Amino acid sequence: MDKNENAQKVVVNLKTTIFQDAEREDFIFEEVGSLVQMNNGLYLRFTEHQDNQAVANVTLKITDEHVQLTRQTNGGHHSRMIFDENKDHDIIYQTEYGPIKILVKTKELNYDYNEDIMNGKLGIDYELHSGGMIVGEYNLTLQFSA
């Protein structure tokens, strides 16, 4: 949970669909997290669990310009992706085999937030490219509520 005194406890529902090599894979998570409104945006933080084990700390920074997703795994792998419909972003993605350069192409970004009831929804459709080739297509749907 967030140590910030302005943090509000929220329930986070996250679904990620991955289309890769003509296959589809779905991941669904429900986590408890914290939501903080700061001058430059909204911060949503939660810990991702798999098989009742914490596997990654996730922070979403949502601004009027873009969404930044930072994920730090317990194994030390760190990634930061920026989603922006108006601009593609190069990132360095840490894998167990070392860092690789990836291009994030945001196809669609939808965000709706009701501050009065601390309820929001975020949808991102994006592609990852490496070496000029598409690595995969992704759909992220996230809902949070106090």
Side-chain angles (χ1 to χ4, degrees):
M1 195 63 164
D2 202 296
K3 293 179 174 73
N4 188 312
E5 60 192 42
N6 297 323
Q8 172 69 42
K9 181 179 171 182
V10 291
V11 174
V12 178
N13 291 290
L14 173 63
K15 178 181 179 187
T16 303
T17 302
I18 302 171
F19 299 95
Q20 212 169 29
D21 298 326
E23 292 186 22
R24 174 188 170 141
E25 201 169 1
D26 292 309
F27 298 93
I28 299 172
F29 300 98
E30 182 175 302
E31 306 289 355
V32 175
S34 65
L35 185 68
V36 178
Q37 177 77 48
M38 297 178 112
N39 301 352
N40 57 347
L42 194 66
Y43 290 80
L44 177 62
R45 295 180 177 98
F46 60 93
T47 300
E48 185 181 302
H49 293 82
Q50 291 179 9
D51 301 322
N52 295 321
Q53 298 288 320
V55 294
N57 292 318
V58 178
T59 301
L60 283 152
K61 177 184 176 187
I62 304 166
T63 69
D64 291 338
E65 292 81 37
H66 64 267
V67 173
Q68 177 179 294
L69 184 147
T70 305
R71 189 172 185 269
Q72 176 78 43
T73 68
N74 291 345
H77 300 292
H78 180 267
S79 62
R80 180 175 319 176
M81 289 192 270
I82 296 175
F83 303 103
D84 180 344
E85 283 183 311
N86 301 313
K87 183 179 177 191
D88 296 342
H89 289 270
D90 285 313
I91 65 164
I92 300 298
Y93 185 75
Q94 286 292 348
T95 71
E96 57 190 62
Y97 307 108
I100 58 172
K101 186 176 177 181
I102 293 187
L103 179 70
V104 179
K105 290 188 172 203
T106 305
K107 297 299 190 182
E108 190 172 345
L109 176 64
N110 296 304
Y111 173 62
D112 185 43
Y113 176 58
N114 185 326
E115 189 174 355
D116 294 336
I117 58 173
M118 308 277 298
N119 185 307
K121 184 173 183 177
L122 175 67
I124 306 172
D125 288 327
Y126 64 100
E127 296 175 349
L128 297 181
H129 295 252
S130 183
M133 297 177 61
I134 188 166
V135 175
E137 297 176 63
Y138 301 78
N139 173 270
L140 182 147
T141 305
L142 183 141
Q143 296 179 331
F144 59 90
S145 59

